[in-house]
């Protein structure tokens, strides 16, 4: 799939998800937790695929109808650790089957985004057992 087509599909899915799920929940006064939002598009399609990160950020904001998270939790693991987890789980989708080099570029993208907005971002060590990572996420969410 062409990188631009992939980015546009991600943005279209986000726009629909915001319209159907996120915006109604926010309008009802509920908290929303979402796995992968605009930063993921910038990291994966921008840094990973080589598209312009600033253009993707602008388009992501537009697609999300200006909905932005109050807090971003980045569960940081090395590209090698992510690959090892996938191997233990068995089977990888198209994105997960990418090279370690691709995931290193994605990780670099997340690092740039987190450094640019430290008031909103929390970087959490995603290695180790799930229950330990969950404790770290809860602590980071409260800070």
């Amino acid at each position: 799939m062409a990188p631009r087509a992939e980015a546009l599909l991600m943005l279209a899915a986000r726009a629909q998800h915001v319209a159907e799920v996120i915006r109604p929940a926010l309008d009802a006064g509920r908290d929303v937790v979402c796995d992968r939002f605009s930063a993921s598009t910038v990291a994966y399609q921008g840094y990973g695929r080589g598209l312009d990160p600033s253009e993707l950020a602008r388009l992501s904001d537009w697609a999300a109808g200006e909905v932005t998270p109050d807090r971003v939790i980045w569960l940081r693991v090395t590209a090698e650790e992510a690959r090892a987890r996938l191997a233990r789980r068995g089977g990888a989708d198209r994105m997960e089957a990418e090279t370690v080099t691709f995931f290193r570029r994605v990780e670099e993208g997340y690092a740039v985004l987190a450094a640019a907005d430290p008031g909103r971002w929390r970087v959490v060590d995603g290695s180790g057992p799930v229950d330990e990572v969950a404790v770290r996420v809860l602590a980071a969410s409260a800070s």
Side-chain angles (χ1 to χ4, degrees):
M1 179 179 303
R4 285 179 186 262
E6 181 181 84
L8 290 169
L9 288 170
M10 297 297 180
L11 294 170
R14 180 159 311 112
Q16 194 65 32
H17 188 65
V18 167
E20 289 181 354
V21 178
I22 295 174
R23 176 52 61 199
L26 292 173
D27 289 346
R30 294 195 308 268
D31 292 329
V32 175
V33 176
C34 182
D35 176 29
R36 301 187 191 239
F37 205 66
S38 296
S40 294
T41 300
V42 174
Y44 277 82
Q45 282 71 46
Y47 287 84
R49 300 280 188 227
L51 298 177
D52 181 353
S54 61
E55 184 70 8
L56 285 167
R58 187 185 68 77
L59 289 169
S60 291
D61 288 345
W62 178 78
E66 305 304 320
V67 170
T68 58
D70 296 323
R71 174 80 66 231
V72 178
I73 307 291
W74 174 24
L75 295 177
R76 188 172 194 171
V77 296
T78 65
E80 292 78 10
E81 171 66 17
R83 301 287 292 184
R85 287 180 181 181
L86 286 170
R88 286 191 301 269
R89 188 181 78 197
D93 65 22
R94 185 180 62 80
M95 189 74 74
E96 293 168 339
E98 282 292 342
T99 66
V100 168
T101 302
F102 171 83
F103 285 108
R104 284 188 185 132
R105 290 192 307 265
V106 171
E107 182 180 11
E108 174 192 345
Y110 278 123
V112 167
L113 294 169
D117 194 359
R120 195 161 55 109
W121 280 70
R122 299 295 180 268
V123 181
V124 174
D125 179 3
S127 63
V130 172
D131 56 338
E132 290 177 14
V133 174
V135 169
R136 292 192 290 267
V137 168
L138 288 173
S141 299
S143 65

